[in-house]
Amino acid sequence: MNTERDSETTFEEDSQPNDEVVPYSDDETEDELEDQERAVEPEQNRVNREAEENWEPFKKDCTWQVKANDRNFHEQPHFMNTKFFCIKESKYQNNAIRTYKYNAFTFLPMNLFEQFKRAANFYFLVLLILQAIPQITTLAWYTTLVPLLVVLGITAIKDLVDDVARHKMDNEINNRTCEVIKDGRFKIAKWKEIQVGDVIRLKKNDFIPADILLLSSSEPNSLCYVETAELDGETNLKFRMALEITHQYLQEENSLAIFDGTLFWRDTSFPLDADKILLRGCVIRNTDFCHGLVIFAGADTKIMKNSGKTRFKRTKIDYLMNYMVYTIFVVLILLSAGLAIGHAYWEAQIGNFSWYLYDGEDATPSYRGFLNFWGYIIVLNTLVPISLYVSVEVIRLGQSYFINWDLQMYYPEKDTPAKARTTTLNEQLGQIHYIFSDKTGTLTQNIMTFKKCCINGQIYGDHRDASQNSHNKIEPVDFSWNMYSDGKLVFYDHYLIEQIQLGKEPEVRQFFFLLAVCHTVMVDRLDGQLNYQAASPDEGALVSAARNFGFAFLTRTQNTITISELGTERTYNVLAILDFNSDRKRMSIIVRTPEGNIRLYCKGADTVIYERLHRMNPMKQETQDALDIFASETLRTLCLCYKEIEEKEFEEWNKKFMAASIASTNRDEALDKVYEEIEKDLILLGATAIEDKLQDGVPETISKLAKADIKIWVLTGDKKETAENIGFACELLTEDTTVCYGEDISALLHTRMENQRNRSGVYAKFVPQVHEPFFPSGGNRALIITGSWLNEILLEKKTKRSKILKLKFPRTEEERRMRTQSKRRLEAKKEQQQQNFVDLACECSAVICCRVTPKQKAMVVDLVKRYKKAITLAIGDGANDVNMIKTAHIGVGISGQEGMQAVMSSDYSFAQFRYLQRLLLVHGRWSYIRMCKFLRYFFYKNFAFTLVHFWYSFFNGYSAQTAYEDWFITLYNVLYSSLPVLLMGLLDQDVSDKLSLRFPRLYVVGQRDLLFNYRRFFVSLLHGVLTSLILFFIPLGAYLQTVGQDGEAPSDYQSFAVTIASALIITVNFQIGLDTSYWTFVNAFSIFGSIALYFGIMFDFHSAGIHVLFPSAFQFTGTASNALRQPYIWLTIILTVAVCLLPVVAIRFLSMTIWPSESDKIQKHRKQLKTEEQWKRRQNVFRRGVSRRRSAYAFSHQRGYADLISSGRSIRKKRYPLDAVIADGTAEYRRTMES
């Protein structure tokens, strides 16, 4: 078999966009567009003859050739691609899926390589090498090696744990089994062993392991029902049907084993389309078994292609932090260079003339200055915090666990907790500007519920008893009187049941009979219970409602349908089914009653039904008022009507219908024309109202996110009416919203492009660019645009590739230059148009993109990222959302009944959309605040610690002498100051979670980068510089001309180092106490514990015992005990700490008093705000006779089901599995197959 997967892009406008269709096939992957075959019957015979004559030349030109049951065929040299130098591999992928990064051999080298790509890690590796040079270093090697090993080790362990999880998931999928033909028989094989060209057998409820061509199945005409929840989130069944020729000849195992067919099989060609392909990730339903040929495997399958490229995601703070580290690098180099120059000058002026400083080397001052440059690089290396990155990773890991452990994001109904699948993006959750959401399964439950109806002008569905009295609290209707009730319908209007049972109004029974008879639902009996399989959840809800109200659809054949009418079974002859499509927006059925009457029943959208009603319909206005009420309640509606047909009228119409049914050209158009002739002068019965049930808390979540200045865009494959209705249901749209459509903004964008082109003349560079809004200020606007209009506006239209390759090469240099300029102009025009579209869309409060493909979803996300530089989040539940999830800065997967593809590709997952508000407004905001506080404090404490060396250099001849003990330098960031800042980064919170949700405006600080930016960074550095200045010069002044109590001067170098170090530890630990907003016992213990730990370790390291054991490593023997017994030194330490902290306390007090932030105000009044504020749904104002918008009609399947039913192809006949037939070997079956 041969197929092509090619596409090209054009910018020509060849047609008006169609709102009802997806712009191109949803089976297209992100970079492919499949060619469509023209189904013209007379032309087929000529194609067959030409194909037989030209098979061999055509075979060479095909891009994808598959041969059944011949694995060696795909290993031929012309199918091999060069992978690396002379190493070649087949272009046909095997079926194994690999998402892991490392294996046992590559983990250590690859992980170390990735870690040393970080500038800071590589810097410390170079530093370690420099410390091994005796002429340069003044610090011991372990001061750098110990922190570096801790950093590398923790990061490596985290990466290893993540990759082991990926290995387990890959193995679980790759080791699934199915049956594959080997050596002429079906044998059990693992998924990873399947290859292109294999013939496989699948059974009911099996997952499909690869993209396969359906050959045959146990169903009539080799139909196969599949559930595509893993791909698109929809749980309703879809059917696929094999070619008639493969259905006829490829049922037995021995036939399948020798099958070598392609598009050309047995000297005949057969067209293939998407209805004959079963995609990986789908599930076989209602089909006992089926056989298929593997066409695409592994990474070539649609589900993997649509996944898009895996992007390495980093947060905005990550990038900012890296730039700040680079800034510190520059500061370090400048400081070291300045001090090195100072040393060279000092050596030239003083050192060369001081005999007591002679070290036995006659080096020049310049050379000594050069060596001191590297010496100061080592001494001041703690300006670049080596433990910064590992501390950040630890904090992020802790935040991820807090998300996993949050019981308020746990969904008990499906035992699904929230899951942070990545540990690197938590603080970015507090900076989201735009959310891109799928609809089906994400905002909605994909469950349709019958809520209300209008029959003969009377609305039913309110809380009423049998006497029409309304009650706020009333028990649901008891359907136990109905033997066919499924027990799932919850309905509160007892008066409707009274009307059905009494039968005083025949229209009521006629209404539900219409729902039971006018549909294309299939029925099975499982354990004696009726089981409906509908083409759309809307239709299933209507038939199930009729069943509960006493009109149960029992069975159907090719020409009959059987209904139980209040316990009485009646069979009706089906004369014709007039199928639904997106243009007709209705379906009808013509039946003959047992009494011999002919009647047409029709249901459809109010817009098309009202045009076809008889002018004498008395309840037309009442039903329209009911439709307006249903629309205001965001319910999906259908109008129901019927018509009595005379026998003669039907016979005349039926002749036209049969002629149109067998038309060889334009069959669909001919049928639609015939349908129009009979669907007129209809009698209106009433209307149904179905709720496309939203997930719990969706309107409240969207309302709170909007108050947090987060804009929500809905990207869905559903039709426009459905998407708009959901927009109103979840309050993304309101009655006050001015809705703009594709045609509206196309004109606006065209005008803007013309104005920009006119301004881009000779004087364009002299005119400053001014941002002009598209809409006048004020007013609430929303944009609803379809995929077709999106392609039209963004100049992304697709065209089919010609079978014949046409190349036109430029002949002259001028032609080449003209072509290049033309291409650049087109690209510039496209880029400008896209930017204008993004600017326009971002002026709207809400955007809904409907009928869009997976690639278009990702494209919209990418446009906002590119042109608005905004942080984006994408949330979805199906495989068609994977590309969008991977493209956004943060991807969230909904883990529900729709499969796990979105979850597996996401960064965070949970079970319900409503948990998104807690993820962002609580966890995201807290994570952002904590990370910002952590980073500001981290830079502060390292500058305060390191720059003491800088001030000390002015008093030691710029000799790169350290101001502290070596072990203090080693343990400062590891033990003495690490725990309090880590706990602040993990536990701190300015306000509680309830107040965070109650006041969404608190979220804005993250969007505006107010807590961590270059200004905040330099303030922290200045704070650190001033602290280091105080830490050095106050003890220095105190030590000058000082005599201790024992008459000895305490002003030796080691006592001075202990004094500065003690003041530093107390200052930085008390400083974090000032920065802490949420005090717990753990925080207090860590602060005072760190100070106690410092003194404990210092006294141990300064003891005589450890000096005896390691005399070269511990040289401050007795310093601590001698220095710290002097009250004068304790007073010096207290004075130093007070001067460092008191100005900070004063500034904080003034700031909170005079310029309080939003969180400061809430903290001040938090006791009064403890009572929770209940969210109230916005009330819709209904005005009779005024319909602001059309109600969405409840249909979502495509044309084709009526053909299946009326032709009898879907009617099940008894068939046995192949193994049973082969084992039985009956002569009757053999005769049937031979005939």
Side-chain angles (χ1 to χ4, degrees):
M1 188 196 59
N2 308 280
T3 67
E4 291 189 12
R5 288 193 168 195
D6 298 300
S7 66
E8 64 180 19
T9 303
T10 181
F11 303 120
E12 297 175 5
E13 299 184 5
D14 53 359
S15 63
Q16 184 76 358
N18 186 348
D19 284 343
E20 296 294 342
V21 298
V22 177
Y24 42 87
S25 171
D26 230 355
D27 291 316
E28 176 200 358
T29 63
E30 63 172 314
D31 55 359
E32 302 158 7
L33 189 66
E34 295 194 16
D35 292 334
Q36 312 246 337
E37 299 286 341
R38 292 194 305 171
V40 182
E41 191 63 33
E43 189 73 2
Q44 185 63 50
N45 297 332
R46 183 182 63 80
V47 171
N48 290 346
R49 289 196 303 273
E50 291 182 357
E52 293 169 15
E53 298 168 1
N54 302 320
W55 161 239
E56 286 301 327
F58 180 74
K59 182 177 177 180
K60 295 177 182 178
D61 296 332
C62 290
T63 60
W64 198 263
Q65 301 178 30
V66 178
K67 188 172 183 181
N69 296 314
D70 187 357
R71 292 189 173 185
N72 294 328
F73 173 79
H74 305 106
E75 301 295 331
Q76 296 180 65
H78 57 277
F79 293 140
M80 307 299 284
N81 293 330
T82 302
K83 184 179 180 181
F84 182 74
F85 288 110
C86 59
I87 301 175
K88 294 188 175 184
E89 66 175 5
S90 174
K91 72 174 183 177
Y92 297 91
Q93 299 280 344
N94 61 32
N95 205 43
I97 298 299
R98 298 178 184 87
T99 61
Y100 57 84
K101 294 168 63 177
Y102 314 110
N103 58 38
F105 300 103
T106 62
F107 172 72
L108 196 58
M110 283 186 65
N111 189 263
L112 287 176
F113 175 73
E114 288 179 355
Q115 290 203 59
F116 282 121
K117 284 198 296 185
R118 279 183 171 175
N121 289 348
F122 182 73
Y123 163 75
F124 279 100
L125 179 64
V126 173
L127 202 66
L128 188 62
I129 296 170
L130 289 176
Q131 283 184 284
I133 304 173
Q135 292 85 353
I136 293 176
T137 186
T138 57
L139 273 175
W141 54 268
Y142 51 77
T143 59
T144 299
L145 180 63
V146 172
L148 182 61
L149 287 179
V150 171
V151 170
L152 296 178
I154 292 177
T155 307
I157 291 171
K158 183 184 74 70
D159 291 343
L160 180 63
V161 170
D162 289 345
D163 211 56
V164 167
R166 284 190 286 264
H167 269 278
K168 289 180 180 178
M169 188 174 293
D170 289 347
N171 289 334
E172 180 184 345
I173 294 173
N174 291 332
N175 289 324
R176 290 177 180 173
T177 59
C178 70
E179 294 180 272
V180 180
I181 282 193
K182 292 182 179 178
D183 303 323
R185 303 290 295 176
F186 280 113
K187 297 180 180 179
I188 299 295
K190 295 179 178 179
W191 277 23
K192 63 184 179 183
E193 298 169 355
I194 295 174
Q195 295 186 16
V196 173
D198 286 351
V199 175
I200 65 176
R201 174 163 62 190
L202 301 171
K203 297 179 181 178
K204 183 188 284 188
N205 299 328
D206 280 352
F207 279 92
I208 300 172
D211 290 353
I212 65 175
L213 169 67
L214 179 62
L215 300 177
S216 60
S217 79
S218 58
E219 299 301 297
N221 290 325
S222 286
L223 281 171
C224 181
Y225 296 94
V226 294
E227 183 183 281
T228 60
E230 288 274 357
L231 295 181
D232 53 22
E234 295 185 5
T235 52
N236 51 292
L237 299 189
K238 299 176 176 60
F239 76 89
R240 301 289 183 263
M241 188 165 59
L243 284 168
E244 185 178 351
I245 191 72
T246 60
H247 161 70
Q248 183 178 356
Y249 291 104
L250 296 180
Q251 291 288 350
E252 293 192 37
E253 187 174 32
N254 56 358
S255 301
L256 291 162
I258 61 173
F259 168 59
D260 60 353
T262 63
L263 266 174
F264 297 85
W265 191 59
R266 295 189 175 180
D267 300 327
T268 311
S269 65
F270 299 96
L272 298 178
D273 55 35
D275 289 338
K276 297 170 181 61
I277 302 295
L278 305 181
L279 298 174
R280 178 180 177 128
C282 297
V283 183
I284 304 295
R285 300 291 192 202
N286 287 19
T287 306
D288 293 334
F289 61 86
C290 67
H291 308 107
L293 171 68
V294 177
I295 306 299
F296 298 103
D300 289 329
T301 57
K302 177 194 172 181
I303 196 170
M304 298 304 295
K305 290 278 190 181
N306 265 348
S307 296
K309 297 178 181 178
T310 300
R311 297 168 171 86
F312 177 66
K313 295 181 178 181
R314 299 176 66 187
T315 66
K316 195 174 183 179
I317 284 183
D318 263 336
Y319 288 108
L320 192 58
M321 189 168 63
N322 282 343
Y323 284 124
M324 290 174 178
V325 170
Y326 297 148
T327 303
I328 295 175
F329 275 141
V330 173
V331 171
L332 173 63
I333 292 170
L334 292 176
L335 286 177
S336 300
L339 293 172
I341 293 170
H343 181 71
Y345 178 79
W346 185 86
E347 279 287 337
Q349 297 297 319
I350 300 173
N352 284 346
F353 305 103
S354 303
W355 58 267
Y356 55 87
L357 294 176
Y358 182 66
D359 57 2
E361 294 184 10
D362 297 322
T364 64
S366 300
Y367 180 69
R368 288 181 182 274
F370 173 75
L371 293 180
N372 256 36
F373 170 78
W374 297 107
Y376 271 112
I377 289 287
I378 295 171
V379 169
L380 302 177
N381 75 80
T382 47
L383 280 178
V384 181
I386 185 172
S387 56
L388 172 65
Y389 290 102
V390 71
S391 301
V392 167
E393 294 298 330
V394 170
I395 290 173
R396 286 172 172 168
L397 183 64
Q399 298 291 355
S400 299
Y401 278 113
F402 290 152
I403 293 172
N404 298 345
W405 296 338
D406 191 343
L407 291 178
Q408 295 189 53
M409 296 172 67
Y410 170 72
Y411 191 54
E413 291 184 20
K414 299 205 173 164
D415 189 27
T416 306
K419 176 71 175 174
R421 299 175 54 82
T422 182
T423 59
T424 59
L425 302 172
N426 295 328
E427 67 272 13
Q428 190 120 303
L429 290 170
Q431 297 181 281
I432 302 299
H433 293 87
Y434 291 88
I435 292 175
F436 300 90
S437 174
D438 179 41
K439 182 192 77 69
T440 306
T442 303
L443 298 177
T444 68
Q445 299 180 29
N446 201 24
I447 298 173
M448 304 298 171
T449 307
F450 184 88
K451 297 294 287 185
K452 293 184 178 183
C453 60
C454 172
I455 307 174
N456 205 25
Q458 173 76 38
I459 295 179
Y460 299 93
D462 296 323
H463 291 61
R464 294 190 298 183
D465 59 22
S467 303
Q468 283 188 278
N469 297 317
S470 298
H471 298 277
N472 291 328
K473 293 183 179 181
I474 191 171
E475 292 294 320
V477 170
D478 181 11
F479 290 103
S480 59
W481 56 272
N482 179 7
M483 62 180 293
Y484 291 110
S485 171
D486 60 8
K488 298 178 182 178
L489 180 63
V490 179
F491 200 76
Y492 293 94
D493 196 339
H494 295 255
Y495 181 62
L496 178 59
I497 304 299
E498 185 81 7
Q499 290 291 88
I500 293 173
Q501 292 176 339
L502 294 178
K504 293 181 179 179
E505 292 190 28
E507 290 85 0
V508 175
R509 291 187 176 183
Q510 189 88 315
F511 182 91
F512 287 102
F513 172 77
L514 189 154
L515 294 180
V517 76
C518 184
H519 55 79
T520 58
V521 171
M522 309 299 294
V523 63
D524 277 333
R525 285 185 180 268
L526 298 175
D527 301 326
Q529 296 294 319
L530 295 176
N531 182 38
Y532 292 149
Q533 297 295 341
S536 71
D538 314 77
E539 196 166 53
L542 293 174
V543 177
S544 295
R547 165 187 179 175
N548 283 286
F549 284 109
F551 292 80
F553 162 53
L554 299 181
T555 185
R556 77 184 332 142
T557 66
Q558 182 176 347
N559 300 314
T560 64
I561 184 168
T562 302
I563 309 294
S564 171
E565 302 175 21
L566 298 176
T568 304
E569 291 190 15
R570 287 166 60 90
T571 300
Y572 296 82
N573 291 326
V574 178
L575 304 180
I577 299 178
L578 286 56
D579 202 8
F580 166 87
N581 65 33
S582 57
D583 294 324
R584 284 169 40 76
K585 299 182 182 179
R586 64 191 183 279
M587 79 158 290
S588 302
I589 186 170
I590 301 176
V591 298
R592 187 188 298 274
T593 66
E595 294 77 21
N597 299 323
I598 299 176
R599 190 171 289 169
L600 177 144
Y601 294 98
C602 179
K603 63 181 180 183
D606 55 330
T607 52
V608 296
I609 295 297
Y610 268 61
E611 296 172 356
R612 291 160 178 81
L613 293 179
H614 193 281
R615 65 178 184 275
M616 297 302 292
N617 269 282
M619 296 299 172
K620 191 173 180 180
Q621 185 57 48
E622 288 84 348
T623 306
Q624 181 61 58
D625 291 343
L627 287 170
D628 292 340
I629 294 173
F630 296 157
S632 69
E633 296 174 2
T634 68
L635 300 175
R636 302 174 67 164
T637 61
L638 282 176
C639 286
L640 309 187
C641 51
Y642 72 99
K643 173 185 177 180
E644 300 282 353
I645 303 176
E646 297 292 334
E647 186 76 35
K648 183 178 179 182
E649 179 187 0
F650 173 75
E651 288 179 0
E652 293 177 357
W653 177 85
N654 194 42
K655 292 177 183 178
K656 300 178 183 178
F657 172 66
M658 296 304 295
S661 299
I662 59 175
S664 58
T665 59
N666 301 323
R667 178 175 175 268
D668 290 346
E669 290 78 1
L671 283 171
D672 287 348
K673 186 176 180 181
V674 174
Y675 294 164
E676 287 284 349
E677 295 182 13
I678 198 74
E679 293 173 326
K680 60 184 181 182
D681 296 331
L682 304 174
I683 306 300
L684 184 64
L685 274 175
T688 61
I690 293 177
E691 181 183 27
D692 187 358
K693 200 167 180 59
L694 288 173
Q695 292 185 12
D696 294 337
V698 168
E700 178 185 1
T701 299
I702 289 177
S703 174
K704 286 190 175 179
L705 293 176
K707 290 177 183 176
D709 204 22
I710 299 173
K711 292 188 177 181
I712 299 178
W713 294 22
V714 177
L715 312 178
T716 177
D718 272 352
K719 56 190 174 62
K720 185 166 66 174
E721 290 86 350
T722 305
E724 183 173 353
N725 218 43
I726 289 297
F728 281 96
C730 65
E731 297 193 4
L732 195 62
L733 309 176
T734 66
E735 296 295 338
D736 298 327
T737 303
T738 303
V739 179
C740 303
Y741 297 97
E743 52 270 29
D744 304 324
I745 69 162
S746 179
L748 282 173
L749 291 171
H750 180 74
T751 304
R752 176 60 58 89
M753 284 291 289
E754 290 294 329
N755 294 339
Q756 289 172 340
R757 190 179 297 114
N758 293 335
R759 286 199 298 263
S760 62
V762 180
Y763 302 103
K765 58 183 178 181
F766 302 108
V767 180
Q769 289 189 350
V770 179
H771 175 70
E772 300 177 14
F774 285 88
F775 304 109
S777 59
N780 187 16
R781 289 178 180 81
L783 170 62
I784 298 179
I785 186 169
T786 60
S788 299
W789 273 110
L790 199 61
N791 273 355
E792 179 83 11
I793 290 169
L794 300 181
L795 307 177
E796 290 281 357
K797 298 181 71 176
K798 295 276 183 175
T799 59
K800 288 181 278 188
R801 186 182 176 122
S802 174
K803 294 282 185 184
I804 303 172
L805 186 63
K806 297 179 180 179
L807 296 175
K808 182 180 179 182
F809 295 100
R811 298 178 180 177
T812 65
E813 187 65 30
E814 181 66 19
E815 286 186 10
R816 187 178 291 107
R817 186 179 62 82
M818 294 290 289
R819 177 172 292 189
T820 303
Q821 289 181 353
S822 176
K823 188 175 181 180
R824 286 177 180 170
R825 281 196 298 270
L826 284 173
E827 288 296 328
K829 176 186 175 185
K830 178 179 176 181
E831 184 174 343
Q832 185 63 56
Q833 181 81 337
Q834 291 179 344
Q835 184 164 0
N836 289 341
F837 169 75
V838 172
D839 290 341
L840 183 148
C842 290
E843 289 184 23
C844 300
S845 59
V847 177
I848 299 176
C849 300
C850 42
R851 308 302 283 164
V852 290
T853 62
K855 184 184 177 184
Q856 285 181 308
K857 290 183 178 183
M859 179 183 69
V860 171
V861 175
D862 185 62
L863 288 175
V864 175
K865 283 175 60 179
R866 193 189 319 160
Y867 295 115
K868 301 308 281 187
K869 307 299 181 188
I871 306 300
T872 58
L873 180 146
I875 180 170
D877 68 317
N880 58 351
D881 303 315
V882 169
N883 206 347
M884 169 178 76
I885 285 171
K886 287 186 174 181
T887 302
H889 291 99
I890 292 177
V892 178
I894 299 290
S895 52
Q897 59 184 353
E898 293 79 13
M900 297 296 289
Q901 284 298 319
V903 171
M904 289 169 62
S905 302
S906 66
D907 304 306
Y908 300 88
S909 66
F910 40 71
Q912 294 281 291
F913 181 84
R914 67 177 182 270
Y915 298 147
L916 184 62
Q917 62 173 314
R918 186 167 180 85
L919 182 70
L920 299 186
L921 302 183
V922 178
H923 290 287
R925 185 175 162 277
W926 280 352
S927 295
Y928 173 74
I929 292 173
R930 291 164 179 169
M931 187 61 70
C932 292
K933 278 189 174 183
F934 166 81
L935 291 173
R936 295 201 309 262
Y937 174 79
F938 209 95
F939 287 127
Y940 152 75
K941 78 181 181 70
N942 272 51
F943 263 68
F945 163 63
T946 307
L947 288 182
V948 170
H949 297 303
F950 176 75
W951 308 120
Y952 184 48
S953 298
F954 293 100
F955 299 89
N956 64 18
Y958 311 97
S959 59
Q961 172 69 37
T962 58
Y964 309 110
E965 179 194 10
D966 287 354
W967 281 107
F968 177 79
I969 295 173
T970 304
L971 299 177
Y972 175 75
N973 277 320
V974 176
L975 290 179
Y976 301 153
S977 63
S978 59
L979 189 57
V981 70
L982 279 176
L983 289 175
M984 184 183 70
L986 287 170
L987 304 175
D988 199 43
Q989 47 183 270
D990 57 345
V991 297
S992 67
D993 55 343
K994 292 180 180 178
L995 291 177
S996 295
L997 292 172
R998 185 170 174 181
F999 298 97
R1001 289 295 299 173
L1002 291 171
Y1003 188 82
V1004 174
V1005 293
Q1007 295 172 323
R1008 298 178 182 174
D1009 300 323
L1010 297 180
L1011 300 185
F1012 189 67
N1013 47 46
Y1014 258 105
R1015 188 181 69 84
R1016 291 273 191 166
F1017 170 68
F1018 283 115
V1019 168
S1020 297
L1021 296 195
L1022 180 61
H1023 188 191
V1025 170
L1026 294 175
T1027 301
S1028 68
L1029 199 67
I1030 295 168
L1031 286 170
F1032 179 79
F1033 282 102
I1034 288 183
L1036 179 66
Y1039 269 60
L1040 288 176
Q1041 300 177 353
T1042 302
V1043 177
Q1045 288 181 338
D1046 55 1
E1048 296 179 358
S1051 54
D1052 61 283
Y1053 158 70
Q1054 292 185 344
S1055 298
F1056 184 65
V1058 167
T1059 305
I1060 297 176
S1062 301
L1064 172 67
I1065 293 300
I1066 296 172
T1067 299
V1068 296
N1069 279 287
F1070 279 12
Q1071 176 65 49
I1072 202 160
L1074 295 175
D1075 289 341
T1076 300
S1077 302
Y1078 183 67
W1079 276 91
T1080 63
F1081 170 78
V1082 178
N1083 292 87
F1085 179 80
S1086 69
I1087 290 173
F1088 293 104
S1090 295
I1091 297 173
L1093 184 67
Y1094 158 72
F1095 282 108
I1097 291 176
M1098 181 178 64
F1099 276 103
D1100 285 340
F1101 282 3
H1102 292 188
S1103 66
I1106 200 167
H1107 174 72
V1108 172
L1109 295 175
F1110 308 99
S1112 61
F1114 300 93
Q1115 299 176 356
F1116 276 49
T1117 308
T1119 303
S1121 56
N1122 288 332
L1124 296 179
R1125 63 188 174 89
Q1126 303 276 354
Y1128 182 82
I1129 290 182
W1130 280 107
L1131 287 173
T1132 303
I1133 293 172
I1134 293 171
L1135 176 64
T1136 306
V1137 172
V1139 173
C1140 287
L1141 296 180
L1142 286 177
V1144 177
V1145 174
I1147 292 172
R1148 297 279 173 88
F1149 175 77
L1150 290 174
S1151 175
M1152 292 181 66
T1153 306
I1154 303 173
W1155 308 286
S1157 64
E1158 192 74 23
S1159 62
D1160 292 335
K1161 296 174 185 176
I1162 293 172
Q1163 274 184 313
K1164 187 176 180 180
H1165 301 96
R1166 61 181 179 275
K1167 291 184 178 179
Q1168 293 92 328
L1169 298 171
K1170 278 188 176 179
T1171 56
E1172 291 190 33
E1173 183 183 47
Q1174 295 296 321
W1175 178 81
K1176 295 181 180 179
R1177 190 179 182 91
R1178 183 185 290 110
Q1179 295 296 319
N1180 291 314
V1181 179
F1182 171 68
R1183 289 185 291 168
R1184 183 171 298 277
V1186 179
S1187 179
R1188 294 269 185 110
R1189 56 192 168 86
R1190 286 290 185 185
S1191 53
Y1193 54 95
F1195 265 120
S1196 57
H1197 67 276
Q1198 303 296 319
R1199 179 197 288 270
Y1201 288 80
D1203 285 345
L1204 284 176
I1205 294 167
S1206 58
S1207 65
R1209 286 181 290 172
S1210 62
I1211 308 304
R1212 185 185 297 274
K1213 298 174 185 176
K1214 190 68 174 177
R1215 182 181 292 168
Y1216 300 93
L1218 292 179
D1219 289 344
V1221 173
I1222 292 169
D1224 184 36
T1226 59
E1228 180 183 356
Y1229 182 82
R1230 284 198 298 273
R1231 285 196 300 272
T1232 303
M1233 293 301 295
E1234 288 168 2
S1235 62

